[in-house]
């Protein structure tokens, strides 16, 4: 198959945009040329001469010679307008903007169909790991049971620094920002929002389910404190921010983002620094594991490059699982075994929200509860303003068949 000639209009020349420019220079066989680069800030010093740049987005969007738009800006609203206009103009689009995709997913899928143009976004999830195309193409069957992964590089970098080098949270975050891993608004990383957007995209390609960002519950690493970090150390566990999408016994999907205690035997245990790792579990193949750098200029640019290459062979996502008849639904009635740290004054009221309690502890200022609780009750606890609590997941708790049949809540089903 002959490669298409791609004439690219690039939006954004920050960390990833520059990385892409350099990577493209090194891959002449790709038949892809950046014609125009649109940037926002005229005062930033640039590594290329000024004739490469424009400040007018229409010079790209209205240029009939440009057949491919690569969008690498961090303003999700501006990115949405660029991507939408480009698709409407019949241009293929590559984007890395997970927030923008998550907020407009359904519409973006419809626009691709209506204008018969592809939108690719491998770089939006786990940077260098080719996870979307694998979920889309390889697992094209009903047998995929779950995906679980570390999908945010910055938070993994921060947790590794705190764990291994005893660096303070603030300094580790600053370091992640300086290395170009964090979002411009780092709360998106530390609050688990970035991981949520990625999970939303991943479950669409894994299970054919499209939900809104507010439907997936996310708790980040910004609440973690000494009590739970010390607990992890004592037990030989690591704390990682994980995104989980799992088919439950009713065949619906549980999906959420939360810090989790990871055991040594778990593949995610050795996924440190800026690396991301995703485990898939399916009926016959059991667990498979993908790992790679999850943030930074070159890892992200490499995924953008791979999408550009795929476009040159006319690749597009077919969203096969979305078009299945028996569509799945998001189900938040999942039971979780967790470690909940709380202010002393809340201990008794929080205990009432647990289905089962395994261990409690308190010192002079705070305490913790280890037990089984529903995701809905966790949401209720953390909806309280100004709460000094944090939560770390041990695992999902499966209901037994008889409990499901009787509709009763779980007792001791975990080891
Ligand atoms: N801020 C993101 C992260 C960038 O840290 O994973 C890559 O999506």
């Amino acid at each position: 198959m002959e490669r298409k000639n791609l004439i690219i209009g690039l939006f954004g020349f920050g960390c990833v945009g520059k990385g892409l420019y350099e990577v493209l220079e090194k891959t002449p066989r790709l038949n892809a040329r950046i014609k125009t680069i649109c940037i926002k800030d005229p005062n930033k010093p640039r590594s290329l001469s000024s004739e490469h740049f424009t400040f007018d987005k229409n010079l790209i969007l209205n240029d009939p010679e440009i057949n491919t738009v690569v969008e690498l800006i961090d303003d999700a609203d501006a990115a949405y307008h660029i991507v939408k206009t480009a698709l409407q103009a019949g241009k293929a689009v590559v984007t890395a903007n997970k927030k923008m995709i998550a907020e407009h997913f359904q519409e973006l899928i419809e626009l691709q169909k209506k204008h018969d143009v592809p939108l690719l976004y491998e770089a939006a999830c786990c940077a260098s790991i080719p996870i979307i195309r694998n979920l889309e193409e390889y697992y094209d069957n009903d047998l995929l049971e779950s995906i679980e992964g570390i999908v945010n590089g910055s938070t993994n970098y921060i947790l590794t620094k705190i764990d291994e080098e005893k660096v303070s949270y603030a300094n580790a975050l600053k370091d992640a920002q300086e290395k170009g891993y964090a979002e411009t608004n780092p709360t998106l990383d530390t609050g688990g929002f970035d991981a949520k957007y990625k999970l939303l995209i991943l479950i669409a390609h894994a299970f054919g389910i499209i939900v809104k960002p507010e439907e997936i519950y996310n708790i980040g690493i910004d609440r973690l404190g000494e009590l739970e970090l010390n607990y992890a150390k004592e037990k030989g566990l690591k704390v990682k921010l994980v995104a989980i999408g799992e088919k439950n016994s009713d065949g619906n999907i549980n999906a959420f983002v939360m810090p989790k205690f990871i055991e040594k035997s778990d593949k995610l245990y050795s996924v440190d620094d800026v690396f991301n790792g995703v485990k898939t579990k399916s009926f016959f193949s059991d667990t498979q594991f993908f790992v790679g750098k999850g943030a930074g200029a070159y890892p992200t640019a490499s995924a953008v490059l791979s999408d550009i290459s795929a476009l040159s062979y006319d690749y597009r996502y077919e969203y096969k699982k979305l078009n299945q008849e028996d569509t799945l639904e998001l189900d938040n009635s999942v039971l979780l075994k967790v470690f909940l740290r709380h202010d002393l004054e809340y201990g008794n009221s929080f205990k009432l929200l647990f289905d089962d309690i395994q261990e409690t502890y308190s010192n002079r200022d705070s305490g913790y509860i280890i037990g089984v609780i529903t995701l809905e009750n966790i949401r209720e606890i953390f909806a309280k303003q100004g709460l000094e609590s944090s939560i770390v997941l041990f695992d999902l708790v499966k209901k037994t068949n008889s409990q499901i049949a009787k509709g009763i809540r779980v007792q001791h089903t975990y080891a």
Side-chain angles (χ1 to χ4, degrees):
M1 189 178 182
E2 216 174 291
R3 273 183 189 280
K4 262 170 115 167
N5 199 4
L6 302 182
I7 313 290
I8 297 173
L10 172 63
F11 284 89
F13 203 65
C15 177
V16 183
K18 247 192 299 190
L20 175 70
Y21 192 89
E22 287 165 29
V23 170
L24 263 180
E25 295 265 281
K26 291 188 173 67
T27 45
R29 271 197 310 145
L30 211 55
N31 244 356
R33 168 173 75 89
I34 296 179
K35 183 179 176 190
T36 313
I37 305 170
C38 182
I39 50 172
K40 194 172 71 177
D41 186 351
N43 300 317
K44 248 194 205 167
R46 307 281 174 184
S47 51
L48 295 177
S49 58
S50 60
E51 78 261 12
H52 288 86
F53 298 110
T54 177
F55 303 104
D56 180 1
K57 62 178 191 288
N58 292 324
L59 281 188
I60 290 179
L61 296 171
N62 296 338
D63 182 341
E65 199 199 359
I66 290 178
N67 56 14
T68 308
V69 163
V70 177
E71 178 285 302
L72 300 174
I73 63 175
D74 66 358
D75 176 339
D77 294 332
Y80 165 64
H81 289 291
I82 289 165
V83 170
K84 184 173 173 172
T85 314
L87 291 172
Q88 285 168 332
K91 298 182 195 301
V93 178
V94 176
T95 176
N97 202 316
K98 49 264 157 149
K99 184 169 190 282
M100 184 272 295
I101 299 167
E103 284 170 349
H104 304 280
F105 212 176
Q106 191 64 50
E107 185 188 359
L108 292 171
I109 291 171
E110 280 157 19
L111 281 168
Q112 292 175 68
K113 213 165 157 190
K114 183 166 173 206
H115 299 281
D116 193 24
V117 275
L119 167 69
L120 299 184
Y121 40 82
E122 188 64 70
C125 294
C126 307
S128 70
I129 307 178
I131 188 67
I132 296 177
R133 256 186 272 166
N134 268 295
L135 292 173
E136 175 75 13
E137 305 297 334
Y138 183 80
Y139 298 98
D140 179 24
N141 54 46
D142 288 339
L143 303 174
L144 187 62
E145 292 168 8
S146 69
I147 52 171
E148 174 181 348
I150 297 167
V151 299
N152 180 271
S154 309
T155 47
N156 206 34
Y157 180 83
I158 293 167
L159 291 172
T160 306
K161 282 261 165 195
I162 293 173
D163 184 42
E164 289 180 0
E165 297 171 32
K166 312 280 170 276
V167 174
S168 72
Y169 178 87
N171 284 342
L173 170 59
K174 199 163 151 262
D175 207 5
Q177 286 176 297
E178 279 165 11
K179 287 196 153 63
Y181 300 155
E183 302 298 303
T184 309
N185 170 7
T187 313
L188 294 178
D189 297 296
T190 57
F193 297 94
D194 179 81
K196 181 234 290 272
Y197 302 141
K198 290 168 178 167
L199 178 62
L200 187 154
I201 297 169
L202 293 176
I203 60 171
H205 290 277
F207 303 114
I209 169 174
I210 295 213
V211 297
K212 298 208 165 9
E214 56 275 18
E215 291 177 81
I216 297 183
Y217 190 55
N218 58 294
I219 294 199
I221 66 162
D222 43 7
R223 293 174 166 275
L224 290 175
E226 273 184 19
L227 209 54
E228 51 275 27
L229 293 177
N230 288 341
Y231 178 92
K233 267 248 149 24
E234 271 168 30
K235 307 275 178 197
L237 306 166
K238 284 187 186 172
V239 177
K240 304 275 187 194
L241 184 68
V242 296
I244 296 179
E246 178 162 326
K247 244 184 225 165
N248 65 19
S249 46
D250 304 329
N252 286 323
I253 303 297
N254 303 136
F256 58 91
V257 172
M258 206 176 277
K260 185 181 179 195
F261 291 122
I262 307 285
E263 291 179 14
K264 248 196 186 108
S265 57
D266 192 317
K267 297 257 181 261
L268 297 179
Y269 187 88
S270 51
V271 178
D272 285 330
D273 290 305
V274 73
F275 280 82
N276 284 182
V278 180
K279 295 187 294 182
T280 57
K281 193 162 188 304
S282 55
F283 195 71
F284 289 116
S285 54
D286 209 332
T287 302
Q288 289 160 305
F289 181 50
F290 301 81
V291 66
K293 282 195 173 163
Y298 292 126
T300 313
S302 78
V304 174
L305 187 78
S306 175
D307 277 350
I308 292 173
S309 168
L311 281 181
S312 74
Y313 290 117
D314 264 335
Y315 177 78
R316 62 182 59 196
Y317 304 132
E318 288 177 54
Y319 300 100
K320 297 184 211 76
K321 292 168 212 170
L322 279 177
N323 301 325
Q324 284 166 175
E325 272 175 21
D326 49 340
T327 46
L328 306 174
E329 281 178 18
L330 187 73
D331 177 1
N332 279 331
S333 67
V334 58
L335 281 162
L336 306 175
K337 181 183 169 186
V338 299
F339 175 115
L340 176 77
R341 174 171 52 80
H342 56 81
D343 277 348
L344 279 187
E345 57 178 309
Y346 291 119
N348 286 335
S349 56
F350 287 171
K351 276 181 201 161
L352 297 174
L353 295 169
F354 275 73
D355 280 48
D356 188 59
I357 292 176
Q358 198 179 28
E359 186 182 328
T360 58
Y361 165 86
S362 53
N363 58 30
R364 267 191 300 173
D365 322 304
S366 55
Y368 67 72
I369 304 166
I370 294 178
V372 175
I373 185 168
T374 60
L375 187 58
E376 283 118 332
N377 282 356
I378 295 173
R379 258 184 135 133
E380 195 179 315
I381 289 173
F382 285 92
K384 239 186 239 307
Q385 294 294 321
L387 191 71
E388 283 294 321
S389 269
S390 91
I391 196 156
V392 185
L393 175 71
F394 284 95
D395 223 334
L396 277 75
V397 176
K398 302 249 185 279
K399 291 181 201 172
T400 62
N401 285 338
S402 67
Q403 282 164 341
I404 293 165
K406 289 181 200 149
I408 61 170
R409 302 182 88 179
V410 77
Q411 294 298 320
H412 286 274
T413 54
Y414 54 86

